Amino acid sequence: MFSVRCWSRLYFVLGLVVAWVGLLSRQGLAAGPELDAKSIAFVKKYCVQCHGAEMPKAGLSLHTVQNAAGVLKGRKRWESVLEMIESGTMPPEKSPRPTAAEQAAFIGQVRAIFFHADTT
């Protein structure tokens, strides 16, 4: 039979394994949704012409977004961007406008990033 000392070691090792598996699963969850190439292309195609590096309109520069971390870092700005896109205010009528599918995909991706950040 096992001694008390042996059981203690076994429980200690099992505890370490459980903690390690928990840590790995949390790291996997922390990665969350990422800004895909289509969303980055959306910003470049419909936003950066006016909101780029040189003299961005309304002081809003969007050309540097490359990933979910960038979206989360400027969350208030991106929430405002989503409101403008959803309302049809942006892009302006005289500029190229996204299709409904392009718009829905972009908005869905950014909202998924926000949702993941809020729930993990």
Side-chain angles (χ1 to χ4, degrees), residues 7-63:
W7 280 109
S8 296
R9 287 181 182 165
L10 179 63
Y11 284 126
F12 177 76
V13 170
L14 285 174
L16 287 176
V17 169
V18 168
W20 180 69
V21 168
L23 179 64
L24 288 179
S25 66
R26 286 185 86 191
Q27 286 177 342
L29 287 174
E34 192 51 68
L35 204 58
D36 66 11
K38 286 183 180 181
S39 293
I40 294 169
F42 179 96
V43 173
K44 287 180 181 177
K45 183 176 182 180
Y46 299 110
C47 307
V48 171
Q49 183 176 354
C50 296
H51 301 286
E54 297 178 23
M55 297 176 51
K57 290 189 177 180
L60 179 63
S61 181
L62 302 175
H63 72 286

Side-chain angles (χ1 to χ4, degrees), residues 93-106:
E93 288 186 26
K94 294 180 181 180
S95 297
R97 296 177 67 84
T99 65
E102 287 175 313
Q103 184 174 322
F106 176 73

Side-chain angles (χ1 to χ4, degrees), residues 67-82:
N67 54 36
V71 170
L72 289 171
K73 185 176 180 183
R75 182 171 180 158
K76 287 189 185 264
R77 171 180 38 181
W78 286 102
E79 286 174 344
S80 177
V81 167
L82 291 183

